[in-house]
Amino acid sequence: MQDIQNDQDPRPQLRRAVAQLNAVAAQVRPDRLDAATPCGEYDVRGLLGHLVGVARALAEATGEGEVRRGDDRPPRVADDAWPAAVEESCTELVDAWRDEARLTEPFDAPWGKVPGHNALRFIVMELVVHAWDLNEALGRPAALDPELSEYALATAERLPAEGRPGAFAAARPAPEGADAHVRLAARTGRAVETTAG
């Protein structure tokens, strides 16, 4: 994958994406953990586990940014403790990127070795997309940041339209006039025909 240009320090967007995800996760109640999400392979509990596991794995990546296989296993979390688990793991992720040197160090991402800033932009995209997934599953309790979705969409448009195995499905068409959130969801393979607006 080509290096992403014009954004050498995505850490401010990472902090915004984490704040947004925490705001949505704070709305999770135990009786909603089995609800379906637009990310087809996960219910709410599974999506939260994926987010916590991946955030921790990325925060603990080895010296060259390698995420060891199996390090993103979902954790065991009590039903009423998911909002705190998401917040804790995302804090670890933000802290792990405080060192500016990480932005230029090689990062062994699933799609190849790239500079840290490139990998971080994709991490931001994943957090933003999954915040949308979670917000939809919970009945849209939070107002999402359109600028953040536009930022993530610009990254998603660098992905091949057929998707990336193990990450996102093939892009789908977005409804005419769809907002940034829905266009991002469609670009990352979500069925959005009934969720425009």
Side-chain angles (χ1 to χ4, degrees):
M1 179 164 296
Q2 287 187 331
D3 198 28
I4 292 188
Q5 303 298 321
N6 304 322
D7 188 16
Q8 302 298 309
D9 189 355
R11 291 176 300 171
Q13 286 73 28
L14 175 65
R15 292 189 291 271
R16 287 173 68 179
V18 161
Q20 174 169 272
L21 178 59
N22 285 335
V24 178
Q27 305 301 315
V28 173
R29 302 292 178 263
D31 63 350
R32 297 297 295 162
L33 290 173
D34 295 325
T37 75
C39 187
E41 64 185 289
Y42 296 121
D43 59 12
V44 169
R45 187 195 313 274
L47 180 59
L48 292 168
H50 169 70
L51 285 164
V52 171
V54 167
R56 286 178 175 163
L58 291 167
E60 297 169 3
T62 58
E64 288 195 336
E66 180 183 0
V67 179
R68 297 179 295 276
R69 186 175 297 279
D71 283 358
D72 61 350
R73 288 186 299 269
R76 302 184 85 143
V77 175
D79 285 356
D80 62 352
W82 281 109
V86 170
E87 183 172 4
E88 180 181 350
S89 64
C90 285
T91 297
E92 292 172 8
L93 179 59
V94 170
D95 287 346
W97 285 90
R98 288 197 188 280
D99 184 356
E100 189 171 352
R102 288 201 71 182
L103 298 175
T104 54
E105 290 174 351
F107 193 100
D108 193 7
W111 60 92
K113 190 165 286 192
V114 296
H117 67 84
N118 183 306
L120 186 55
R121 185 162 175 160
F122 278 94
I123 292 167
V124 170
M125 179 191 69
E126 181 159 9
L127 295 178
V128 174
V129 171
H130 286 321
W132 182 87
D133 289 329
L134 186 59
N135 202 47
E136 290 291 304
L138 298 176
R140 303 182 187 174
L144 302 181
D145 181 343
E147 290 184 0
L148 201 51
S149 286
E150 290 282 7
Y151 178 91
L153 179 60
T155 304
E157 287 174 343
R158 298 283 183 145
L159 292 169
E162 63 271 18
R164 197 176 75 211
F168 294 108
R172 298 183 184 219
E176 186 175 351
D179 63 21
H181 312 303
V182 171
R183 287 184 283 120
L184 173 62
R187 180 66 195 189
T188 53
R190 277 75 176 145
V192 297
E193 290 77 11
T194 61
T195 60

